[in-house]
Amino acid sequence: MAREPKIERFNQDVLSKYQIYNSIFMTLPFDKVTNTGVLLPLFKEVCDKGFAEKQTPTQIVENFFELYQHNSTEDEKNTLLFRFIQYIERQVVLFDAIEDAAFTKVNNMVGRGTLRSLKEEAAEKGLMDVMKEFLKTFKVRPTLTAHPTQFYPGTVLGIIRDLDKAIRVDDLLTIKRLLAQLGKTAFFKKEKPSPYDEAISLIWYLENVFYHSVSSIYNYIQQNVFDGETLENDIINLGFWPGGDRDGNPFVTTETTLKVAEKLKTSILSNYYKDIRRLKRKITFGELPERINELEHQLYQNIYYPSKDSVFTLASFESELAAIRVSLIEEHNSLYLKDLDGLINKVNLFGFHFGTLDIRQDSRVHHNVITEIIKEVTAAGLGIFPDNYEELSEDEQMKVLSKVRASIQPEDLKDDMARATIGSIYAMKKIQDENGERGANRYIISNNGSAKNVLETFSMINMCGWENPTLDVIPLFETVPDLEVADKVMEQLYTNPEYLAHLKRRGMKQTIMLGFSDGTKDGGYLMANWGIFKAKEALTEMSRNHGVKVVFFDGRGGPPARGGGKTNQFYASLGPTIEDEEIQMTVQGQTISSNFGTKDSCQYNLEQLLGAGISNELFTNPTKIIKEENRATMQELADISYKMYSDFKAHDKFLPYLERMSTLKFYAKANIGSRPSKRGSSSELKFSDLRAIPFVGSWSQLKQNVPGFFGVGTAIKAFEDRGELDRVHTLYKDSIFFRTLLDNSMMSLTKSFFELTAYMQKDPEFGAFWDIIHNEYLLTKRLLLKVSGFDELMQNEQVGKASIQIRESIVLPLLTIQQYALKKIQDMQRTGEIDKETFEVYEKMVTRSLFGNINASRNSA
């Protein structure tokens, strides 16, 4: 029987089920406030009708109370609005669970881009040997990051998982109980989580999802591509940032880093322990039960009673498993060999580290630290740096930095940040001793703009008594100017004798990180993406010329404005001018739960990433190579949009608008993440201090999504005005890269809803500024449809569009409440008539309304 179209499967298995289960959910009593579930659909109807009639959020809320709660007091009205928020948050969770449960029905798990599909295509075209050779070196590394969008407490995550299971089998009684439990379970946290709390939240995904999905993929490749041969390449390895990412997070300490590393080790050993116990029930013959019992005992001891004197090491564990394997083959007819091999593969993949804990710090912090260290060691007469270091030229300073060797202890330093920075390097050494080299072997430098930035970090590593350090120094190029000089910076390093010697020890491989988030914030959507593409091309060519294998690590987030969107299509669009032996990317916030939150979705999306790499290698597509005339078009589009975005950013109302008309300042109040919502401690808001997540998130809460489209329309219109729109059409037709950019921008436009903030158009201070944004939105929408030939946005992505529309519909009442409360706050501030108690109620209303919209804004990875 023919498989139904994907959109029909979505409507049947997601939309229909949501309507059924939501109707049950709305009838459940959660508290003493009666009729909330009855009134919310009425409020939703008032919102839909009100925005269609161009009413303001304030008018909509007031009309609702006039119609349905005429005699309510202000306290009663506010209480009901808070109850609405509570219900809507849980409606989002319900929809998430239903979508997760239907994942394998809506998506073809063996379809295009999956390993089975690619293997069959490779076999059909006689390319199996090429595929095998490629998979001997190709790797995918998702790096989990705890940004302020992953706020669900563990209790709620557990309910989501249980709901998923119950929905899969239509267990109505269990679903009803779980929905009742969900209604009573708190979503928000009274206190900010610590970096360790965030790490625990994400380790849950490692233990319950990635551990199983990654090993399943590895086992499939080993059995079906390599015919059971041993693979030297782990293919998928995991990165981990909570507890190691110090960039602007004053709460991450050396103690935190070590504690998280210890938890990662304990977690992976716990998973091995469960597998050993399962294996024990099968291998019950010969001398093997005693040997497996001993492994079980050693794992238990190292989980619950770890000792520095333990003789149980990764090497001894691997050796004993290998010996048991030989015995199974030679003495027991390979009985349960597949089960044992599954565990051996997991140990090869995850070692004693589970995920590599990256350390990250800002180059400006490093510069201040190295300055303090030089002052202190020079005053102490240690002779590590020349007395006239500060007077030397930059080239001379770089020579000194590259040759520094010393053994400075953190406690010997007076400066707090210097102690913390040196302490983090010693922590990496300690983690490698206990968890293996893969436990922590990457030091990332944010805001890297020069070779000196790298060598300052390199010198600090070499001041920790670490002979031939087993770690990689990874510069992160973020801003447009930094991206433009990235290849020159790296060439300076490749030609530095000491740094080159370090690269040789590390296999002549250099990882370079490129930041979409801050790139988009700095240069706008088109320029950031094109700037990164060109930087990768230049870095690839230059690195190849110097015999260096360059690996790109992309700072991708969830929304397109942060480099997210259709990730597999993005990587599949990169041509031979960009090194692609590895795909490395950050995965943040709700994107972790939405794309890697279940075993099915995790396996599917990891396979899609692997498929992008395999497809690039095996199946040549001429549209991946951008022709010179198309490059000229792309460059001009990027330049025009950059100018438009830069002027917009420099507008005197830009920061005041964000500060007073958006939810920007409320991110800090929401207790979502441990990090401050901005860099720096100044009370004055500066653009350079804005973090990408609250910046992008604030536009999202306004339903304006500026970073995902602003400047695109103006750039295309310049060609239209000159009668040269055919050049943009040609670029769109010829370049998968450009098509993917526009597809992702369409997603940003689809999630926009300017009717929500149309009242701002009449604001005496910000009305003209709102018009600038709205006009660019309308222009971009018109021209993207014209260039693509579509009749509607996301016409080629019907299921994704349907999911977005349902989610946006669910949270529209919540956003209406948020704007209503924001307007109340603005009015009080403008008149100066502030009742503290009332003011705080509305502030709390805005803060509480952040969460539902954040989680409703899932994005395709």
Side-chain angles (χ1 to χ4, degrees), residues 87 126 249 279 289 344 420 460 468 499 601 783 807:
Y87 266 66
N249 190 337
L279 204 59
I344 289 172
M460 287 188 287
N468 300 331
Y499 192 80
S601 62
L783 288 170
R807 291 172 179 279

Side-chain angles (χ1 to χ4, degrees), residues 211-241:
Y211 180 75
H212 305 284
S213 299
V214 170
S215 57
S216 291
I217 291 171
Y218 185 88
N219 292 343
Y220 178 87
I221 292 172
Q222 184 184 50
Q223 294 302 319
N224 296 280
V225 178
F226 288 87
D227 300 318
E229 296 173 24
T230 301
L231 265 99
E232 298 299 324
N233 179 26
D234 52 10
I235 298 178
I236 300 173
N237 46 59
L238 304 174
F240 201 77
W241 273 18

Side-chain angles (χ1 to χ4, degrees), residues 306-556:
S307 167
K308 292 179 181 178
D309 302 322
S310 173
V311 295
F312 184 65
T313 63
L314 178 59
S316 68
F317 188 32
E318 290 175 325
S319 176
E320 181 61 359
L321 289 174
I324 292 171
R325 187 178 193 276
V326 170
S327 181
L328 273 183
I329 294 169
E330 294 181 353
E331 300 173 31
H332 302 290
N333 307 106
S334 299
L335 187 59
Y336 293 122
L337 180 63
K338 189 175 179 180
D339 298 83
L340 177 64
D341 280 347
L343 177 57
I344 289 172
N345 286 344
K346 287 171 180 173
V347 175
N348 288 337
L349 286 165
F350 305 115
F352 274 12
H353 67 288
F354 217 156
T356 299
L357 187 59
D358 289 347
I359 306 298
R360 184 172 77 129
Q361 184 55 281
D362 193 287
S363 64
R364 294 163 293 192
V365 173
H366 287 159
H367 179 72
N368 293 336
V369 164
I370 200 76
T371 302
E372 288 298 324
I373 289 175
I374 291 169
K375 283 180 186 175
E376 291 192 32
V377 299
T378 302
L382 299 181
I384 299 171
F385 289 87
D387 291 344
N388 66 336
Y389 175 84
E390 294 296 339
E391 297 160 21
L392 299 176
S393 68
E394 184 167 294
D395 285 345
E396 290 170 328
Q397 286 182 346
M398 286 167 61
K399 286 180 183 177
V400 171
L401 290 167
S402 64
K403 293 179 179 179
V404 164
R405 300 293 183 275
S407 187
I408 296 172
Q409 298 300 316
E411 57 268 23
D412 295 336
L413 298 168
K414 296 173 185 175
D415 181 76
D416 289 342
M417 187 55 75
R419 277 200 308 275
T421 304
I422 295 298
S424 68
I425 298 168
Y426 275 98
M428 296 178 81
K429 289 176 68 177
K430 183 176 173 61
I431 292 167
Q432 288 196 12
D433 289 341
E434 296 183 0
N435 294 13
E437 186 200 312
R438 289 186 292 171
N441 62 1
R442 293 150 54 100
Y443 199 116
I444 299 162
I445 311 162
S446 303
N447 275 298
N448 198 98
S450 69
K452 186 180 176 185
N453 290 154
V454 176
L455 291 176
E456 285 179 335
T457 308
F458 187 60
S459 71
M460 287 188 287
I461 293 167
N462 286 321
M463 279 190 271
C464 294
W466 198 344
E467 189 174 347
N468 300 331
T470 49
L471 61 82
D472 300 314
V473 183
I474 302 176
L476 165 52
F477 299 98
E478 301 181 76
T479 66
V480 172
D482 288 348
L483 288 167
E484 288 174 344
V485 299
D487 60 318
K488 308 291 189 303
V489 168
M490 295 313 301
E491 189 162 34
Q492 279 184 281
L493 294 168
Y494 293 166
T495 54
N496 179 289
E498 284 73 22
Y499 192 80
L500 182 61
H502 170 71
L503 277 183
K504 287 177 180 176
R505 292 192 296 270
R506 301 298 293 163
M508 289 299 281
K509 182 182 284 189
Q510 173 68 57
T511 302
I512 298 171
M513 189 172 180
L514 301 154
F516 284 89
S517 294
D518 281 288
T520 306
K521 180 169 77 76
D522 176 62
Y525 181 73
L526 280 184
M527 180 56 90
N529 281 278
W530 181 235
I532 287 171
F533 185 94
K534 288 197 304 174
K536 284 183 176 181
E537 285 191 319
L539 286 162
T540 296
E541 182 181 9
M542 187 273 299
S543 297
R544 287 172 178 170
N545 290 340
H546 286 271
V548 177
K549 177 70 71 175
V550 67
V551 174
F552 296 115
F553 178 22
D554 291 319
R556 294 175 70 84

Side-chain angles (χ1 to χ4, degrees), residues 566-584:
K566 301 177 183 70
T567 297
N568 59 308
Q569 289 184 23
F570 168 80
Y571 284 112
S573 74
L574 304 179
T577 55
I578 291 176
E579 198 71 71
D580 63 349
E581 195 170 282
E582 295 189 26
I583 290 176
Q584 297 190 12

Side-chain angles (χ1 to χ4, degrees), residues 609-626:
L609 285 174
L610 281 167
I614 294 167
S615 176
N616 271 342
E617 181 69 16
L618 269 63
F619 312 121
T620 304
N621 188 328
T623 61
K624 291 177 183 176
I625 302 170
I626 304 178

Side-chain angles (χ1 to χ4, degrees), residues 114-131:
T114 62
L115 287 173
R116 180 173 169 179
S117 169
L118 288 162
K119 174 186 168 291
E120 289 174 354
E121 188 177 356
E124 186 181 320
K125 295 180 178 179
L127 295 171
M128 282 301 295
D129 287 341
V130 179
M131 185 174 179

